Amino acid sequence: MTEKTVKGPASYFPSIEKKYGRPVGEWQELIRTSPLTRHMELVGWLKSAHGLGHGHANALVAATLAEGR
């Protein structure tokens, strides 16, 4: 049996859920409903308003924007 290794932004998702106690879907919904649209604006907002670290915020924004918000 082979395990599938998760790569890219999604590789951060388990640690984001564990550290911040919210499912990734909730974070993505916050991003989708934010009036901000630019990647780094959203990253900065997640860091300042919600206390996420840079890598975690960046991974969430990257994955969400890649899905088309």
Side-chain angles (χ1 to χ4, degrees), residues 5-35:
T5 303
V6 176
K7 296 181 181 180
S11 67
Y12 286 85
F13 290 176
S15 62
I16 290 169
E17 290 179 339
K18 183 178 180 182
K19 184 168 184 168
Y20 303 105
R22 295 171 96 167
V24 167
E26 276 187 34
W27 291 113
Q28 290 185 307
E29 188 59 26
L30 281 173
I31 293 165
R32 287 184 193 105
T33 58
S34 170

Side-chain angles (χ1 to χ4, degrees), residues 5 7 10 14 21-23 25-26 28-29 32-33 36-37 40 46-47 52-56 59 61-62 66 68-69:
T5 303
K7 296 181 181 180
R22 295 171 96 167
E26 276 187 34
Q28 290 185 307
E29 188 59 26
R32 287 184 193 105
T33 58
L36 303 173
T37 58
M40 290 309 295
L46 287 172
K47 291 168 61 176
L52 271 72
H54 182 81
H56 288 159
V61 172
R69 276 188 87 147

